[in-house]
Amino acid sequence: PVHPHLEELFHEYCWDAMCGSFDEVSAAQALNFITADLNGIVAFPGGNATITEALYRKLDSALPKHCLRSDSFVLDIEPLSSGGVRVTYEAPDNSLRSIHAKACIVTSPKFIAKTLVSGMPVAQEDAISKLEYRAFLVANILIDGKVPSSSFGMFHLRGVVPQSTAETASMASERAYTSVISASWAAEHRYSRSALTLYKPYPYEGGRRELSKPDAYQVAKSRFEKEIPELLRVLNVEPKRVAGLRITRLAHAMPVAAKGLIANGTLEIASAPVADRIFFAQQDNWANPCVETSLVAALQAADQVKSVIGGV
């Protein structure tokens, strides 16, 4: 038997880390996550955006000008019978342009890639259709002064364990947040201002659609405002020190690490190269929502491109 407090923690951990209930996610994936976290957490000041910034600076200094086109919108990726790949995009001036490349790496979620990549095999489209994606809200409480913390974060336990899938969805929906992160922890609280980051997962089927409702923002904001005073009391933060509340939707959809996706080959088929020239690098290559998975997928895709075009 598992103690109710531990059982509740396991529920919230799976909601928070994998955006799913612990009876629907892969045991291998969940154990991989939690054992890594229990061994220790490494975080950059500023979060994972630090990785993106470092990558951009390196590419910007190494590549010719105009190679990085982050303000362009890709519309179509097509393998050419004559060899190579044509990438069609909308430029900032609204004109349509295309690039003829030897190979291409697609880093969007698979449900988007399926609409972008022409000539994708039907079996691969079917495999992608079996993947499920969910959503997160992130709230940042901006605070004047320091909020010391000896740990990266903590979970918001209530002493109640869901007894069914329906109850899990109901409880997860009603809770304003499941975990809180000390945004100043990685910077060793060196600065005169602090932020508390609250994560609100929607770890159930249909959760993403809730964020499309007209009143979605107000509903979420009201829930945060209702539960924030309790958090401030626990952390000994006077309410007058709160300088603001910022709520945003997590920028990417979370792939659900459902049971059987690795064993039955779904992920392997979904992330297979198209025409041996279009490769995929995304955390949903493994349906595992973490930055480490993204990095592994990126390195694998880079090796695949090298095998096609040669060189380094």
Side-chain angles (χ1 to χ4, degrees), residues 121-201:
V122 173
Q124 188 167 8
E125 291 184 349
D126 291 342
I128 291 173
S129 298
K130 296 175 183 177
L131 304 181
E132 186 174 352
Y133 296 82
R134 292 178 181 166
F136 259 84
L137 284 184
V138 180
N140 282 292
I141 308 173
L142 310 181
I143 299 173
D144 289 325
K146 296 183 179 182
V147 181
S149 173
S150 60
S151 64
F152 178 64
M154 55 188 176
F155 284 91
H156 188 196
L157 303 182
R158 307 292 186 81
V160 181
V161 178
Q163 301 299 320
S164 65
T165 301
E167 193 171 322
T168 294
S170 176
M171 288 173 57
S173 175
E174 293 172 359
R175 296 188 183 190
Y177 66 98
T178 56
S179 68
V180 55
I181 301 302
S182 172
S184 305
W185 178 79
E188 300 178 331
H189 306 290
R190 291 194 298 266
Y191 305 106
S192 60
R193 294 181 179 179
S194 304
L196 298 172
T197 302
L198 279 58
Y199 288 100
K200 160 64 176 177

Side-chain angles (χ1 to χ4, degrees), residues 203-241:
Y204 47 88
E205 187 176 355
R208 287 177 66 207
R209 292 193 293 273
E210 291 186 18
L211 294 180
S212 300
K213 297 178 180 178
D215 63 344
Y217 174 80
Q218 190 56 49
V219 169
K221 182 171 181 289
S222 297
R223 286 174 176 163
F224 281 122
E225 291 175 336
K226 181 180 179 181
E227 297 191 18
I228 283 174
E230 176 194 19
L231 175 63
L232 297 178
R233 286 195 300 271
V234 170
L235 299 177
N236 295 316
V237 176
E238 301 87 349
K240 65 181 180 181
R241 292 173 56 193

